[in-house]
Amino acid sequence: MFLGRVLAPGEPLWLDEDRAWALALAEVEADQCPDCRQPWSEVSLPSAEGGYEPHLMRCHACSAGASKLAAYEGAGGDTRGLHVSITKAG
């Protein structure tokens, strides 16, 4: 967790370096596929086809949520706008 720095009276909250890092992060995030998070500038190139290996992984928390949602929908529940909140058991 970042707690920031201690400011003296009159000091700016953001330094030039802070702004540069924030802008760089915004640029990186703007170039990411929303699903796989790989950079659009690379993955959208025709030469990138076949250059990635997918790996299946199961998130057991998401799986439990999807099962609950499927059961709700199967029982006639309306899932429009429904979000699933997942908490760890125990």
Side-chain angles (χ1 to χ4, degrees):
M1 172 182 272
F2 296 100
L3 300 176
R5 60 190 184 91
V6 177
L7 298 176
E11 280 191 312
L13 183 60
W14 289 74
L15 300 176
D16 289 340
E17 183 179 4
D18 300 327
R19 284 189 288 279
W21 280 109
L23 290 171
L25 177 60
E27 188 175 321
V28 167
E29 289 176 342
D31 186 41
Q32 286 182 336
C33 169
D35 294 321
C36 69
R37 310 305 258 173
Q38 298 294 325
W40 278 121
S41 57
E42 294 177 19
V43 300
S44 61
L45 297 173
S47 60
E49 188 168 348
Y52 294 87
E53 293 183 29
H55 303 278
L56 296 177
M57 293 175 55
R58 181 176 306 276
C59 171
H60 295 289
C62 289
S63 181
S67 293
K68 184 75 166 185
L69 188 60
Y72 181 78
E73 187 174 35
D78 183 1
T79 60
R80 291 175 293 181
L82 188 64
H83 295 266
V84 179
S85 174
I86 300 171
T87 56
K88 191 169 185 175

